[in-house]
Amino acid sequence: MEGGFDPALLVQSWPKPSEPRPIITFGAGSIVGDAHFPAYRKAGFPIAGLYDPDQAKAKTLADKWGVTAFRSADEAASVQDAIFDLATPPGRHAEILKALPDGAVALIQKPMGNYLGEATEILEICRAKNLKAAVNFQLRFAPMMLALKDAIAKGWLGEVVDFDAWLALATPWELWEFLLKAPRVEIAMHSIHYLDLVRQLLGDPKGVHAKTLGHPNHKVAQTRTSAILDYGDTVRCALSINHDHKFGRRHQACEFRICGTEGAAYLKLGLNLDYPRGEPDILEIHPKGATDWIAVPLAGEWFPDAFVGRMANVQRFASGEDGELVSSVEDAWSTMALVEAAYRSSAAPATPIAERP
């Protein structure tokens, strides 16, 4: 416990609901079998069933997990006192939300629509139907991120003044067929997690400078992004994202560096380095008053543990045990606005350089 810092005292999990409600999932894609259902089963949350328009796909996944495969969206939406878990492509969120009963509780897969206009439509549907709805920005609930947030809140870093995200890795985009022809991919589907986390830690930026682009070796719309978020003259925030570093593991990276006026944190997001198997996550902190880095023993990984915490908060908010719905549609809309601003910045001309006289 150098300088009084005890890593074992950092919060790494979300409290469980005392009486969890049954979960109805819309969608039978890889994310459900790789993360949603493993997390819910691990936490002891009851999975009532799932619906997907691809009935064969739905039945295969339902049989694997021993749950019901509903025959229609309306049948799935009719389950009483359920938490509705939308693991659907962003363009399908609105129609599912419209099918839910008024006042229902819903967790919506990110992103909140393909564009800000779709996010606004989703927000208006949730308001009109009085839905208690959150967006599945589950990185906020990963054990390493909960611990980081707790360390910052307890003053171990001082005032945060630098946030760096550095990714150089090979992402298997082919796992998500709907992304292969999508017009927006990297920021909308991946770096959105990081932008959302930055918003939670630093608040809303004044603006963003960004460039996102594809790669000549494939046809995925965007797989590389550079972005700078403007927080004024004190805080520097930069993201360097390259999903096309396909030259072996040796020099790949997926890490954050968060520096404060009195301490710093280093995080490795192991999942992305060998998705979906992943490597162990790492959190090390150089706390205020210490002379060296201290490893924080982690109580879980991003997948599936972040999905446990994300659903736990939704469940507890529904029962009144939590007073705040983290990443509610109201807050998530602002993350979508930041994503939209990044795409607008990328499409805008760069500042021209003067020609030699």
Side-chain angles (χ1 to χ4, degrees):
M1 292 193 298
E2 189 174 359
F5 175 75
D6 185 352
L9 297 180
L10 296 177
V11 173
Q12 294 193 35
S13 63
W14 202 267
K16 300 284 183 61
S18 56
E19 296 183 12
R21 298 186 184 187
I23 298 169
I24 303 295
T25 297
F26 290 88
S30 63
I31 193 68
V32 178
D34 291 341
H36 289 234
F37 282 4
Y40 304 157
R41 190 59 55 81
K42 178 179 181 178
F45 300 155
I47 305 170
L50 63 90
Y51 167 73
D52 192 288
D54 185 335
Q55 291 287 291
K57 188 177 182 180
K59 188 177 186 309
T60 298
L61 186 61
D63 288 348
K64 179 180 178 181
W65 289 90
V67 301
T68 299
F70 294 103
R71 292 166 294 182
S72 68
D74 288 339
E75 183 185 13
S78 68
V79 176
Q80 296 294 309
D81 296 321
I83 304 293
F84 297 104
D85 180 33
L86 277 64
T88 43
R92 303 293 300 277
H93 295 339
E95 65 183 88
I96 298 298
L97 292 169
K98 290 176 182 177
L100 301 184
D102 290 356
V105 183
L107 178 59
I108 306 165
Q109 184 57 272
K110 61 81 190 156
M112 189 178 163
N114 289 300
Y115 302 91
L116 188 60
E118 290 183 3
T120 300
E121 180 189 8
I122 288 168
L123 179 61
E124 290 172 346
I125 292 168
C126 292
R127 286 173 173 175
K129 295 177 66 66
N130 193 31
L131 301 179
K132 298 179 180 68
V135 175
N136 202 344
F137 289 127
Q138 17 67 21
L139 182 58
R140 294 189 182 200
F141 292 88
M144 59 181 165
M145 297 308 175
L146 291 174
L148 170 66
K149 185 183 177 187
D150 194 33
I152 293 172
K154 290 174 176 174
W156 289 112
L157 274 64
E159 179 186 356
V160 175
V161 292
D162 280 288
F163 185 107
D164 283 295
W166 180 37
L167 277 72
L169 41 76
T171 297
W173 298 105
E174 64 276 5
L175 291 178
W176 305 279
E177 289 185 19
F178 74 97
L179 290 182
L180 301 182
K181 296 182 180 179
R184 289 183 171 186
V185 178
E186 204 291 310
I187 299 175
M189 300 302 299
H190 188 92
S191 287
I192 188 172
H193 280 300
Y194 313 143
L195 296 176
D196 180 72
L197 183 74
V198 168
R199 284 191 57 247
Q200 184 187 39
L201 296 178
L202 301 177
D204 289 315
K206 297 178 179 179
V208 59
H209 309 277
K211 183 66 177 181
T212 188
L213 63 163
H215 191 280
N217 285 351
H218 57 72
K219 295 183 179 180
V220 180
Q222 308 95 27
T223 52
R224 297 176 292 162
T225 299
S226 296
I228 299 172
L229 277 62
D230 183 2
Y231 282 98
D233 295 332
T234 301
V235 177
R236 184 187 64 87
C237 179
L239 291 78
S240 177
I241 316 292
N242 178 9
H243 293 272
D244 294 287
H245 197 278
K246 301 179 181 181
F247 307 102
R249 174 66 184 87
R250 183 176 177 182
H251 292 300
Q252 290 181 343
C254 186
E255 53 195 38
F256 292 172
R257 288 175 174 81
I258 296 97
C259 301
T261 53
E262 299 181 89
Y266 167 87
L267 300 94
K268 184 183 89 169
L269 288 70
L271 172 71
N272 291 334
L273 290 166
D274 186 20
Y275 188 90
R277 291 177 298 178
E279 299 177 4
D281 293 329
I282 292 175
L283 171 60
E284 296 181 0
I285 294 179
H286 194 297
K288 177 177 64 176
T291 57
D292 203 352
W293 291 88
I294 298 173
V296 178
L298 294 174
E301 306 288 345
W302 182 0
F303 279 36
D305 297 282
F307 290 79
V308 172
R310 170 66 280 183
M311 178 55 76
N313 171 242
V314 172
Q315 293 266 6
R316 287 172 58 87
F317 184 79
S319 67
E321 293 175 282
D322 277 359
E324 178 192 2
L325 182 58
V326 179
S327 296
S328 70
V329 287
E330 299 287 341
D331 178 67
W333 187 93
S334 295
T335 293
M336 293 299 297
L338 176 53
V339 167
E340 191 74 23
Y343 278 107
R344 290 203 312 269
S345 175
S346 183
T351 302
I353 301 170
E355 296 183 7
R356 183 180 299 132

